[in-house]
Amino acid sequence: MLLAGALLVLTFPDANLEFLAWFGLVPGLVLIVRSPSAREGGVRAWWLGAGYLIAALYWLAPEIGPAVLLAAAVAGVLWVPFGVAAWKLLRPPVTWPRALAALVVVPSCWLLSEWLRSWQALGGPWAVFGASQWQHPAVLALAAVGGVWLISTALVMANVAIVLVIGSLPRLGAVLRSGPATAAETTAATETTGTARAPGPATLRPGLALLGVVAAVASVGAGPLAFALTPASPAVRQVTIAMVQPGIIDNAVQRVDASERLTAELSRSGLLRRVKPDLIVWGESSTAVDLTLAKNRAQLLAMQELSKQDGADLLVNQDTTVPGKGQEKVGVLISPAGIQGQYIKTRLVPFGEYIPFRQQLGWLTKISKAAAANMIPGTGAHVLYATDRAGQPLPIGVLICFESAFPDMSRVDADNGAQLIVYQSETSTFQGTWGPDQHAALGAVRAAETGRPVVQAALTGDTVAYDARGRLLAWMGQSAHGVVTVRLGLPAASARTIYDRLGDYVPWSAVGATLLAALVMFANSRGFPGRNAGIGGKDEAQYVAGQSVPS
């Protein structure tokens, strides 16, 4: 089961076998359905989820050590309802009501696990299944309708549909049976055919096969249909964004110098003087000094001068310790006139920037590079107002690194009138792994969800840009350094996608479907009146042909 879960991570960067997501869950589902009991099915799903998370987060191991296994084991339990639902609804022989219920309940249980673990204390929504489709704007269109959650639902539904097709075929259906038939099942089969056999479809069940095919086609076709029916909001203005990637430089002073040199290339005397940016973005932790303090005024004045020479506001990021408070990461918007706004990172990286339940898990600092002290989070997402080259306000939603994993934060910025979502990132700790690429891919999903272009400036890569439908416009990888410039069309500040307006209605619907299924299962197990009358009880009525019922 661990391997079945790990297989799904190949759908994400760097492997980018995103097509695998449409059928890669089938082996795991088959192993769950073959379980001898619902309890075992839930346990197998637990292992499936743990394997999925261990593989998705492997690149954290050098930093936080056994915390990766601990987090995967804890979060894996969230897949137990998925396993129980799959076992209850997909084990043969599958009836029509169970087949229809499986197409709704099983994806809902999967989505429930993803939504619950998106709570920051459980690690946040990293490697949400739907994010694997980041390279396909036609599929990402579902995110504009229901967020990344709707893409996950479509993917799992396609896998469930394939299992239904397998179960409807006489020979393939045998893989869903857990083992020898029970005595009662064998007796029933013998009375029907004259020979003992395991339960399951003796012949093709074309109706069930057709249902599976239709459901699979609907799942795959939902994205392109949404893409056709929900066009992007028209662009009301054009802006040019420059993103600075200095590369791997460990010394904080030298890192600032490198960023300043690259930024100066955008001035009238620089190599990039023909580029006329409206905003210049540096990566996370691009400076190690607090620009608000008087003792660091020389550094601030140098940045103000850069902004003046380049004719554009400069968005930098300071990683500093505030006396009496603690460490903070702050996005700072600088114009020729000084600091125009700040945003403090709100969602912190578990174990890397804080340790959840530190009193119980603080021992991890002794055996790993887990955070020695908890960083100080900000108060939430809000919009900063830059000024473009024409002197017009440019409302931007500034978020920092790990926060690109959270759909609600970019949605809040969009609701507050941001026309552009900007991420500042620093992932040099994980250089050479799949982590930075997985991180950069999230921008495509956030762009599709909000209907806003997304840019991400990273110190060491990846620096990326996406248009309002999630189409990739620029990508500077981990081994490069330089300046990336991109021209973007921005929607009106009032533009909203369906997901912007309705929020997380998809996961809430999944919660409702899961609870309803649990109530039905409970009612069946308790034998409520009207549920199993005359079936399976100790008393049976027998009628003999040709005789009247005694009065």
Side-chain angles (χ1 to χ4, degrees):
M1 293 306 299
L2 287 172
L3 290 176
L7 173 69
L8 300 176
V9 178
L10 296 177
T11 63
F12 294 94
D14 255 356
N16 279 322
L17 302 178
E18 69 284 347
F19 62 89
L20 186 64
W22 296 99
F23 57 85
L25 188 56
V26 170
L29 282 170
V30 168
L31 291 173
I32 289 170
V33 172
R34 287 176 59 87
S35 302
S37 66
R39 179 179 179 179
E40 175 65 20
V43 171
R44 292 187 183 187
W46 185 347
W47 284 104
L48 176 84
Y52 177 67
L53 293 178
I54 290 171
L57 302 174
Y58 85 92
W59 42 273
L60 286 172
E63 293 297 310
I64 64 176
V68 172
L69 300 178
L70 178 64
V74 171
V77 75
L78 298 174
W79 271 268
V80 169
F82 169 76
V84 173
W87 188 88
K88 287 281 188 180
L89 298 173
L90 292 174
R91 75 186 193 281
V94 178
T95 63
W96 273 90
R98 282 170 54 194
L100 293 171
L103 290 169
V104 176
V105 176
V106 177
S108 294
C109 290
W110 176 280
L111 190 58
L112 180 64
S113 70
E114 293 198 326
W115 198 44
L116 289 176
R117 72 180 176 88
S118 68
W119 180 40
Q120 189 181 3
L122 291 178
W126 195 270
V128 172
F129 202 25
S132 64
Q133 304 303 299
W134 70 279
Q135 295 185 94
H136 300 285
V139 180
L140 288 179
L142 290 176
V145 177
V148 67
W149 318 115
L150 190 56
I151 304 177
S152 290
T153 301
L155 292 174
V156 179
M157 185 179 293
N159 282 270
V160 171
I162 293 172
V163 174
L164 288 176
V165 172
I166 291 174
S168 70
L169 304 175
R171 294 187 179 182
L172 289 180
V175 304
L176 298 179
R177 294 194 288 274
S178 60
T182 64
E185 290 170 336
T186 303
T187 300
T190 303
E191 292 174 351
T192 303
T193 65
T195 59
R197 60 173 175 81
T203 59
L204 173 68
R205 298 181 62 187
L208 189 61
L210 180 62
L211 174 63
V213 170
V214 170
V217 171
S219 300
V220 174
L225 180 62
F227 188 84
L229 298 180
T230 57
S233 299
V236 297
R237 64 191 294 189
Q238 298 284 325
V239 297
T240 299
I241 308 298
M243 295 162 284
V244 176
Q245 180 172 311
I248 301 177
I249 303 174
D250 294 329
N251 183 277
V253 175
Q254 294 176 357
R255 184 164 60 241
V256 172
D257 291 343
S259 297
E260 288 179 342
R261 285 195 301 271
L262 289 169
T263 303
E265 297 294 348
L266 294 163
S267 66
R268 293 178 181 177
S269 60
L271 296 175
L272 300 175
R273 58 186 176 274
R274 294 185 179 180
V275 177
K276 304 297 182 183
D278 296 280
L279 177 67
I280 303 169
V281 185
W282 289 10
E284 179 188 18
S285 303
S286 46
T287 180
V289 302
D290 187 344
L291 298 171
T292 65
L293 299 180
K295 66 179 183 179
N296 298 318
R297 183 159 179 77
Q299 176 78 77
L300 176 60
L301 289 174
M303 292 180 176
Q304 289 178 222
E305 182 62 23
L306 271 176
S307 174
K308 180 179 178 180
Q309 292 177 3
D310 294 349
D313 286 357
L314 179 62
L315 180 66
V316 303
N317 189 282
Q318 63 184 40
D319 184 350
T320 57
T321 299
V322 181
K325 291 181 63 179
Q327 187 181 7
E328 290 180 336
K329 293 191 176 181
V330 187
V332 183
L333 182 64
I334 300 171
S335 76
I339 295 176
Q340 302 300 310
Q342 300 181 62
Y343 167 73
I344 302 174
K345 186 175 185 178
T346 302
R347 302 280 172 82
L348 306 177
V349 179
F351 302 104
E353 295 174 334
Y354 83 104
I355 295 181
F357 312 108
R358 178 174 286 274
Q359 187 173 359
Q360 292 76 30
L361 300 177
W363 54 270
L364 286 169
T365 60
K366 299 178 181 179
I367 59 174
S368 71
K369 298 178 183 179
N374 289 353
M375 287 184 58
I376 307 302
T379 57
H382 60 268
V383 174
L384 300 183
Y385 291 87
T387 302
D388 66 13
R389 299 187 77 87
Q392 298 299 312
L394 174 59
I396 57 176
V398 178
L399 298 168
I400 300 173
C401 203
F402 181 54
E403 293 176 329
S404 65
F406 293 86
D408 61 311
M409 298 200 74
S410 53
R411 197 175 77 242
V412 167
D413 278 337
D415 289 342
N416 288 336
Q419 292 181 284
L420 172 68
I421 306 298
V422 179
Y423 293 105
Q424 296 177 293
S425 174
E426 196 278 310
T427 54
S428 59
T429 303
F430 312 111
Q431 204 77 0
T433 71
W434 290 7
D437 293 348
Q438 289 179 13
H439 182 233
L442 294 172
V445 185
R446 303 291 88 88
E449 288 173 335
T450 61
R452 265 78 175 157
V454 165
V455 297
Q456 173 178 294
L459 286 183
T460 60
D462 300 312
T463 293
V464 295
Y466 301 94
D467 72 4
R469 304 213 76 170
R471 288 175 287 218
L472 179 64
L473 302 176
W475 183 295
M476 179 176 282
Q478 300 177 47
S479 60
H481 67 276
V483 178
V484 177
T485 61
V486 63
R487 186 76 171 167
L488 300 171
L490 305 186
S494 59
R496 298 289 184 276
T497 64
I498 296 175
Y499 180 57
D500 285 333
R501 293 194 296 267
L502 300 182
D504 287 336
Y505 72 94
V506 173
W508 278 114
S509 299
V511 171
T514 302
L515 290 177
L516 180 59
L519 288 174
V520 172
M521 186 174 69
F522 178 76
N524 285 336
S525 67
R526 301 296 295 177
F528 284 175
R531 298 300 308 171
N532 294 312
I535 301 178
K538 295 181 179 179
D539 299 319
E540 296 181 355
Q542 295 184 351
Y543 302 93
V544 181
Q547 297 183 2
S548 61
V549 179
S551 58

